[in-house]
Amino acid sequence: MSQCVPQVRAFTVSAFAASVLLVGCGADGGTSAGRSGPVVPDGVAADLSVTLQQSRLDYADRVVEIEVANMSDTDLVLLGGVLESESFGPSTETTSRPFRPETLAAGGRRGFYVQLGTATCRPDPAEDAVVGAELRAAVTLAAGSRGDHGEPTTVQVPVSDPGDHLTRNLAQDCAAAAVASGVTLTQGETVRTERRGDETVAVLTLTVEPVPGGPDVRITRIDGSTLIDPVDGEAWTGRALAGQDDGVLELALVPTRCDHHAVSEDKRGTFLPVHTTVAGAEQRAVYVPMPDDAKRDLFEYIADYCDWP
């Protein structure tokens, strides 16, 4: 049976109670406005608890999980929803994990995934980004079963963020925006190798292109990662960064480790953690991704360096 998740209509919520909206779906969504079936009880929002979660594998994609706990005595169906925050624009459904009906039994927990909207940052790069106090979720529910449920109902529920995930995401997004206002950072399409003494090292490039009219951005340090180590220490600093004045950095590296699963399970090891100042203000590290062709070069180099069969 086709399901639909209705669009959320904005409305206000008091600190003590959440209002309920009944929103019908059109024929294209598989549910008509006159659909019969069980109805979500009035006041069910007061019996829902919503928590924001984020796994380390979702950091790069800015995806968070909205976990809903049903503390009522009624079985429900969780259909999706929207995260609403003063610090981010409207969240969106992810393409990798789209909304689908999930049984939210009485006393049970279920979650859905959304991608964070555009961060709302302060204009001065020296000011810290601060997450707004109001954090809510518009959660879309129905009564019945996953395959046969009643009219969708959207309720507004406060959201807790015990892991402070939004603070980290906001700081990361605003640092990236501040840096991007002054320079464009791009990893090269290839990773080459060269012989240095009795060791073969890999060399990747980072292009630094100033943005006309943007603030002055200086790279102060580039860290290694779970996959790569700078040849001359724990990070690229000092003379290793002198090439930024000419627009290209060449960064020599060796593998951090040689166990196979470090590469096969890698999620972030090809991102370069770049530390900068923007108009003299120190920023949180920004992570510059590696193109796919360069990844293949790097993985081949690691295999050769580690003498894998």
Side-chain angles (χ1 to χ4, degrees):
M1 178 179 294
S2 176
Q3 306 293 344
C4 70
V5 178
Q7 296 294 319
V8 176
R9 297 175 185 169
F11 58 100
T12 59
V13 183
S14 74
F16 304 99
S19 299
V20 177
L21 284 183
L22 299 179
V23 183
C25 298
D28 291 343
T31 305
S32 68
R35 176 176 183 164
S36 60
V39 177
V40 174
D42 290 341
V44 73
D47 293 322
L48 300 179
S49 174
V50 179
T51 305
L52 187 144
Q53 309 280 1
Q54 187 178 43
S55 76
R56 64 181 182 85
L57 301 183
D58 289 327
Y59 291 167
D61 295 329
R62 303 176 64 256
V63 169
V64 296
E65 181 185 10
I66 308 301
E67 184 184 70
V68 183
N70 180 9
M71 297 178 289
S72 75
D73 56 4
T74 302
D75 290 345
L76 301 168
V77 180
L78 178 62
L79 298 175
V82 178
L83 178 69
E84 299 177 346
S85 168
E86 299 171 2
S87 303
F88 293 90
S91 67
T92 56
E93 181 179 5
T94 70
T95 55
S96 59
R97 282 174 286 192
F99 298 153
R100 63 181 185 180
E102 295 282 2
T103 300
L104 183 58
R109 295 174 179 268
R110 285 287 183 179
F112 59 91
Y113 293 87
V114 296
Q115 187 164 41
L116 294 173
T118 302
T120 302
C121 304
R122 298 185 178 185
D124 185 349
E127 294 187 70
D128 292 333
V130 179
V131 173
E134 293 294 327
L135 182 60
R136 304 174 301 277
V139 180
T140 302
L141 305 160
S145 64
R146 288 188 298 176
D148 184 18
H149 61 73
E151 196 73 49
T153 298
T154 298
V155 299
Q156 290 260 350
V157 187
V159 177
S160 64
D161 182 13
D164 218 15
H165 298 298
L166 282 191
T167 296
R168 182 186 61 252
N169 279 271
L170 184 64
Q172 183 72 55
D173 285 358
C174 290
V179 171
S181 70
V183 296
T184 300
L185 301 177
T186 309
Q187 284 203 57
E189 293 290 337
T190 61
V191 174
R192 74 174 193 272
T193 60
E194 60 183 49
R195 196 71 180 172
R196 294 190 179 182
D198 59 354
E199 186 175 44
T200 299
V201 303
V203 180
L204 61 81
T205 59
L206 179 68
T207 300
V208 184
E209 183 179 358
V211 174
D216 179 57
V217 177
R218 300 296 299 175
I219 298 174
T220 57
R221 187 175 87 248
I222 301 176
D223 294 330
S225 73
T226 55
L227 286 184
I228 61 177
D229 272 342
V231 168
D232 297 323
E234 295 182 357
W236 290 281
T237 58
R239 287 186 298 175
L241 305 179
Q244 66 183 296
D245 296 325
D246 297 321
V248 178
L249 292 173
E250 294 197 339
L251 307 175
L253 61 95
V254 292
T256 300
R257 51 202 292 190
C258 278
D259 44 322
H260 290 80
H261 77 270
V263 172
S264 62
E265 298 177 7
D266 174 66
K267 299 297 181 183
R268 298 285 287 172
T270 58
F271 286 73
L272 275 183
V274 180
H275 298 261
T276 64
T277 59
V278 177
E282 186 174 351
Q283 300 297 308
R284 190 184 183 98
V286 298
Y287 293 83
V288 182
M290 179 178 286
D292 288 342
D293 286 347
K295 287 182 185 178
R296 283 191 288 270
D297 291 344
L298 176 64
F299 296 156
E300 288 177 4
Y301 162 70
I302 293 175
D304 289 342
Y305 184 97
C306 295
D307 197 25
W308 291 346

